[in-house]
């Protein structure tokens, strides 16, 4: 299937372009980006122009930051094309519902991707937890914003999510592996005095069967980077690390993929399935947890953030 890629920035270049090139399902037929392009692929700077000129392209994958995504997605659906959305699927829950409704009405596929759910050991963790009685679950997601998000001003602007941009990946795993739905009861948000979004967050969740569920997200972590979820059950302890690439049960380790390894190929396989069957996959639970944390979180002003030396 011919596909167009929109927003040629960090994740498009790191993952989408090589994964599409390596897939037998997909043919990268056009890009839309105001500055970026992919060598050998027809490049547009305007979405409407691409949709009009390339009626042969039936699928569009949107790799923009969340705030501009809705307009691009709605324009794509109105032009009768299927849509694949980078995470988070939009800036607000309501706009995601509007996109899903528009896709349903038009008989098109729409896919809210959550790449971390496709990390190597997530499916195994889900199976292991399915029949266990959970006592506690702790998320520790600590990374260095300067290392992973260089030059990305949008993450500090309204709708940019701040530390929840990676944190939502952890929550996409948690909502996948836990058999029961959780919701936010308390949140503490560290917001740099010159930014609109948090650089750190501590969250407590309600679990319907009484387990203690909590998360710590921090973007100020230098040195070793931590992307871990630990679940203590009545029948042992499971730890997912490296963002879900490695699983440890009571000290026995499985999985040797690099972080992100295999995730994007599985997203594009899933999109191919959805398009061939006319399916919709819009699970908004990770986004609901983040927007709730932002809604009820207590804000603490912390030191201003500057990417480089002042
Ligand atoms: P990015 O490099 O900052 O942005 C991607 C591209 O989007 C930019 O190069 C820009 O291309 C376009 N863009 C930016 N602002 C725009 C606007 N206001 N209107 C229209 N186009 C705009 O960001 P990214 O890191 O690739 O992240 C994009 C999405 O992927 C985010 O939702 C993020 O959460 C997700 N993601 C990122 C990573 C990662 O490692 N970075 C990993 C997984 C998922 P032009 O200027 O050429 O138009």
């Amino acid at each position: 299937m011919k596909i167009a890629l929109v927003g040629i920035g960090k994740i498009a270049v790191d993952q989408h372009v090589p994964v599409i090139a390596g897939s037998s399902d997909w043919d990268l037929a056009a890009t839309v980006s105001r500055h970026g392009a992919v060598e050998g692929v027809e490049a547009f700077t305007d979405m409407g122009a691409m949709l009009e000129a390339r009626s042969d392209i039936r699928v569009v994958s949107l790799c923009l930051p969340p705030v501009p995504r809705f307009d691009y997605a709605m324009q794509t659906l109105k032009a009768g094309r299927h849509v694949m959305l980078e995470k988070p699927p939009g800036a607000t829950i309501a706009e995601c519902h509007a996109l899903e409704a528009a896709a349903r009405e038009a008989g098109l596929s729409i896919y809210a991707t959550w790449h971390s759910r496709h990390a190597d050991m997530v499916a195994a963790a889900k199976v292991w937890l399915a029949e266990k009685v959970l006592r506690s679950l702790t998320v520790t997601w600590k990374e260095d914003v300067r290392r992973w998000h260089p030059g990305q001003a949008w993450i500090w602007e309204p709708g940019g999510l701040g530390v929840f941009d990676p944190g939502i990946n952890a929550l996409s795993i948690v909502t996948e592996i836990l058999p029961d739905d959780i919701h936010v009861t308390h949140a503490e948000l560290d917001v740099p005095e010159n930014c609109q979004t948090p650089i750190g967050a501590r969250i407590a969740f309600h679990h319907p069967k009484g387990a203690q569920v909590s998360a710590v997200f921090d973007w100020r972590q230098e040195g070793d980077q931590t992307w871990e979820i630990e679940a203590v059950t009545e029948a042992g302890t499971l730890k997912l690390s490296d963002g879900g690439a490695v699983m440890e049960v009571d000290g026995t380790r499985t999985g040797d993929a690099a972080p992100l390894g295999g995730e994007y190929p599985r997203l594009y396989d899933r999109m191919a399935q959805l398009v061939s069957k006319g399916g919709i996959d819009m699970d908004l639970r990770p986004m609901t947890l983040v927007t709730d944390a932002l809604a009820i979180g207590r804000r603490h002003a912390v030191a201003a953030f500057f990417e480089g030396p002042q």
Side-chain angles (χ1 to χ4, degrees):
M1 280 173 279
K2 288 182 184 164
I3 190 165
L5 206 49
V6 181
I8 306 302
K10 185 169 189 318
I11 198 61
V13 170
D14 287 358
Q15 294 289 334
H16 293 256
V17 171
V19 165
I20 291 170
S23 165
S24 54
D25 289 322
W26 299 104
D27 169 19
L28 182 57
T31 60
V32 182
S33 209
R34 298 160 310 171
H35 310 94
V38 175
E39 207 184 323
V41 177
E42 187 176 9
F44 293 82
T45 51
D46 180 74
M47 188 70 179
M50 187 280 290
L51 291 167
E52 200 173 318
R54 295 299 307 266
S55 57
D56 56 319
I57 298 175
R58 308 307 305 160
V59 184
V60 175
S61 178
L62 299 178
C63 308
L64 313 152
V67 169
R69 201 171 295 139
F70 174 79
D71 288 343
Y72 282 77
M74 195 52 102
Q75 200 180 350
T76 305
L77 291 170
K78 283 188 173 155
R81 320 296 168 81
H82 308 283
V83 175
M84 181 166 167
L85 302 162
E86 249 300 354
K87 48 70 41 171
T92 70
I93 303 268
E95 69 182 33
C96 295
H97 286 312
L99 291 175
E100 180 174 348
R104 216 170 274 290
E105 167 110 22
L108 294 165
S109 291
I110 187 164
Y111 180 21
T113 66
W114 299 107
H115 65 86
S116 293
R117 278 188 179 171
H118 297 274
D120 263 20
M121 300 314 295
V122 170
K126 180 175 180 164
V127 169
W128 191 86
L129 280 169
E131 304 298 327
K132 307 281 190 304
V133 177
L134 187 71
R135 286 188 181 143
S136 68
L137 183 139
T138 313
V139 174
T140 311
W141 226 250
K142 294 183 174 181
E143 60 175 55
D144 182 352
V145 65
R146 291 183 175 85
R147 187 160 149 195
W148 302 105
H149 296 273
Q152 294 186 340
W154 61 265
I155 55 178
W156 300 114
E157 293 298 323
L161 295 192
V163 76
F164 289 114
D165 179 73
I168 204 167
N169 298 336
L171 298 175
S172 76
I173 297 176
V174 170
T175 47
E176 174 68 14
I177 63 177
L178 281 188
D180 300 295
D181 279 340
I182 55 171
H183 65 260
V184 174
T185 53
H186 187 86
E188 303 281 329
L189 310 171
D190 295 339
V191 183
E193 59 187 22
N194 60 342
C195 298
Q196 295 291 318
T197 58
I199 196 166
R202 296 160 297 284
I203 319 285
F205 302 88
H206 173 266
H207 181 269
K209 294 174 185 157
Q212 299 291 313
V213 180
S214 61
V216 178
F217 303 121
D218 208 314
W219 247 351
R220 294 161 290 196
Q221 174 92 351
E222 295 177 1
D224 285 347
Q225 307 287 284
T226 310
W227 299 288
E228 286 179 1
I229 298 169
E230 185 175 78
V232 178
T233 76
E234 286 186 353
T237 298
L238 173 142
K239 190 157 108 178
L240 279 173
S241 49
D242 286 355
V246 174
M247 180 168 94
E248 225 177 278
V249 174
D250 294 332
T252 306
R253 209 179 137 96
T254 345
D256 55 8
L260 280 180
E263 296 177 15
Y264 279 80
R266 291 177 195 126
L267 294 183
Y268 275 95
D269 288 350
R270 172 95 180 118
M271 185 64 188
Q273 281 168 7
L274 287 173
V275 171
S276 67
K277 294 191 177 129
I280 286 179
D281 184 344
M282 282 287 275
D283 180 7
L284 301 182
R285 287 176 299 162
M287 201 169 154
T288 302
L289 296 176
V290 168
T291 53
D292 285 0
L294 290 169
I296 66 167
R298 179 171 293 279
R299 280 156 172 78
H300 305 278
V302 297
F305 175 82
F306 300 102
E307 194 169 320
Q310 284 307 293

